[in-house]
Amino acid sequence: MEKKPHFVRREFLPREVPSISLALLLAAVLLLNAVLYLYINKFYSSLGRVESDPGLCPFGHFKFGAVKNCSPWLSCEAINREVRKLKCVGEGAVKKVFLSEWKEKKVVLSQLTNSELKEDFLHGLKMLKALQSKYVVRLLGYCEQQFTILTEYHPLGSLRGLNETLHIPKYKGMNTWHRRLMLAIDYVSIIRYLHSSPLGTLVMCDSNDLDKVLSQYLLTSDFHVLVNDLDALPLVNRSAGRLVKCGHRELRGEFVAPEQRWPYGEDVPFEDDLMPPYDEKTDIWKIPDVSNFFLGHVEGSDIVRLHLFDIHAACKKKDPAERPSAQEVLDTYRKVLTLLFREAAMPGTREML
């Protein structure tokens, strides 16, 4: 009997090759997605988001640097005996700030300068104690009788110097769209934390212009953001009908939210008693302007701005009730970061599939 030629192998071989290639490509995409997930998840974890426990110490204690054991907050006696002032590094309306030394470690000593503002100083101390977390500068000790606060030192200083820091040769590698976006995510994470803090909904009132906002935050050596100044942090309590006003003077300019501006026109002189109060959505209004500073003008930053356009437009709604929550802004920022990381890592993958 004559055998029939076997065409089966030759018939299916051309179809198997592209199937194998496609499977390999899909496997590579899945692997890359897994790597991206692990990287971004590690980043979110490093964003500090074990909210109640900096350095894994119980309340009233601290540790920092390579020290393993927790120490109690330094008392008046310990501060007077063990802390040595080195030089004045700043002065504001409420306090003077000194670079100091404690057990051969650099620390920051803040002291009240205006006795008329002692209530603001003590309020800041109260907030600092109650809000200790990975979002807030670490408290090392305090002395209420002498109006003194001791905190951890961060050599890169406030966010006002961010652009100058990123031009230092040592840090030029950090001057990228994704690192800048991560700093913006840090900032929004802090706002979200304050709006859902253990004390309730807190409003960041020391924020009447961009420079003032940036002065309230520190840049850490590992390029994260901490809030440093909590002197003006009033509480919103809607159920009790309690709203806030950021100070007793008229606020002007596009940076502050519309509801923070005098609503009765130029012909009516400003009176604090007639100024309507407002809520935490004033912080949301300011997010796009602060984030725009963070993003700067590096390669890729305009693409980030494009992806954030809709959420930033929502932040600028005139009606505060129509603005998103800080959590919604944070979720969007994280989604954009994930999307852009994926697109940067897999250019053209969609077309290949």
Side-chain angles (χ1 to χ4, degrees):
M1 179 182 289
E2 184 181 350
K3 291 184 179 180
K4 293 183 180 180
H6 292 281
F7 295 109
V8 176
R9 183 170 294 175
R10 279 183 292 177
E11 186 176 327
F12 283 93
L13 187 59
R15 294 182 184 177
E16 288 176 356
V17 172
S19 298
I20 293 171
S21 299
L22 183 60
L24 288 173
L25 179 60
L26 286 171
V29 169
L30 290 173
L31 179 61
L32 194 50
N33 272 326
V35 171
L36 281 170
Y37 172 80
L38 290 172
Y39 175 81
I40 293 170
N41 190 56
K42 181 181 178 183
F43 160 66
Y44 289 147
S45 299
S46 73
L47 230 46
R49 315 313 165 183
V50 180
E51 296 179 353
S52 62
D53 202 1
L56 303 177
C57 287
F59 181 80
H61 294 72
F62 72 92
K63 68 176 179 179
F64 68 101
V67 177
K68 292 183 179 180
N69 297 325
C70 296
S71 301
W73 287 335
L74 272 64
S75 63
C76 297
E77 181 185 358
I79 291 173
N80 291 332
R81 185 180 65 250
E82 301 173 12
V83 176
R84 182 171 65 94
K85 290 181 186 176
L86 298 178
K87 63 177 179 178
C88 179
V89 292
E91 183 173 2
V94 178
K95 54 186 177 285
K96 185 177 286 189
V97 180
F98 297 90
L99 175 62
S100 304
E101 192 173 60
W102 174 70
K103 294 188 176 180
E104 299 183 348
K105 297 181 180 68
K106 296 289 193 301
V107 293
V108 173
L109 188 72
S110 302
Q111 292 184 316
L112 179 69
T113 55
N114 185 346
S115 59
E116 295 180 0
L117 298 175
K118 64 182 180 181
E119 293 303 321
D120 291 353
F121 184 91
L122 293 175
H123 176 75
L125 173 58
K126 177 185 175 182
M127 294 294 104
L128 196 54
K129 289 192 289 184
L131 298 176
Q132 282 295 286
S133 67
K134 298 252 178 155
Y135 301 102
V136 179
V137 69
R138 193 161 302 171
L139 179 64
L140 308 180
Y142 64 91
C143 180
E144 286 193 36
Q145 298 94 313
Q146 298 173 7
F147 298 99
T148 298
I149 300 173
L150 193 71
T151 53
E152 190 173 9
Y153 172 62
H154 293 279
L156 296 182
S158 80
L159 288 176
R160 285 189 296 191
L162 174 63
N163 288 323
E164 289 75 11
T165 297
L166 289 171
H167 283 96
I168 297 172
K170 179 181 178 181
Y171 299 112
K172 278 189 175 180
M174 298 287 194
N175 198 16
T176 61
W177 69 262
H178 48 87
R179 178 56 65 177
R180 284 176 170 270
L181 178 55
M182 287 175 179
L183 291 174
I185 289 174
D186 270 0
Y187 167 72
V188 177
S189 297
I190 292 170
I191 298 299
R192 196 271 305 167
Y193 174 64
L194 294 178
H195 288 185
S196 56
S197 83
L199 301 177
T201 301
L202 299 167
V203 182
M204 194 66 177
C205 266
D206 253 346
S207 56
N208 297 335
D209 57 63
L210 179 62
D211 192 64
K212 186 63 174 175
V213 170
L214 298 176
S215 71
Q216 309 301 304
Y217 297 86
L218 295 171
L219 180 64
T220 68
S221 297
D222 59 349
F223 269 71
H224 286 292
V225 178
L226 296 174
V227 62
N228 180 53
D229 196 329
L230 303 174
D231 294 345
L233 210 62
L235 179 69
V236 169
N237 188 337
R238 285 191 186 82
S239 60
R242 183 194 299 168
L243 299 178
V244 305
K245 288 192 285 187
C246 291
H248 304 288
R249 295 180 291 107
E250 182 178 1
L251 301 178
R252 297 176 178 268
E254 293 299 315
F255 188 83
V256 296
E259 64 271 23
Q260 291 184 282
R261 303 172 210 153
W262 179 242
Y264 303 118
E266 296 285 342
D267 296 333
V268 180
F270 176 82
E271 288 188 41
D272 184 43
D273 290 341
L274 298 179
M275 180 67 199
Y278 34 82
D279 63 17
E280 77 280 2
K281 290 298 184 73
T282 58
D283 289 333
I284 304 299
W285 171 273
K286 297 160 189 173
I287 286 176
D289 298 294
V290 180
S291 289
N292 187 54
F293 167 80
F294 278 121
L295 292 174
H297 300 284
V298 297
E299 182 180 357
S301 62
D302 286 343
I303 299 297
V304 179
R305 287 185 179 90
L306 184 63
H307 280 81
L308 296 176
F309 180 85
D310 288 342
I311 192 68
H312 283 174
C315 290
K316 291 293 188 180
K317 293 279 189 182
K318 188 172 183 180
D319 182 355
E322 294 181 6
R323 295 174 204 153
S325 68
Q327 184 65 62
E328 289 170 322
V329 179
L330 179 60
D331 291 342
T332 302
Y333 274 39
R334 287 175 168 173
K335 287 176 184 175
V336 168
L337 176 66
T338 303
L339 172 67
L340 292 178
F341 262 137
R342 185 177 291 124
E343 289 182 354
M346 299 183 294
T349 301
R350 191 174 300 169
E351 289 78 2
M352 292 170 67
L353 293 175

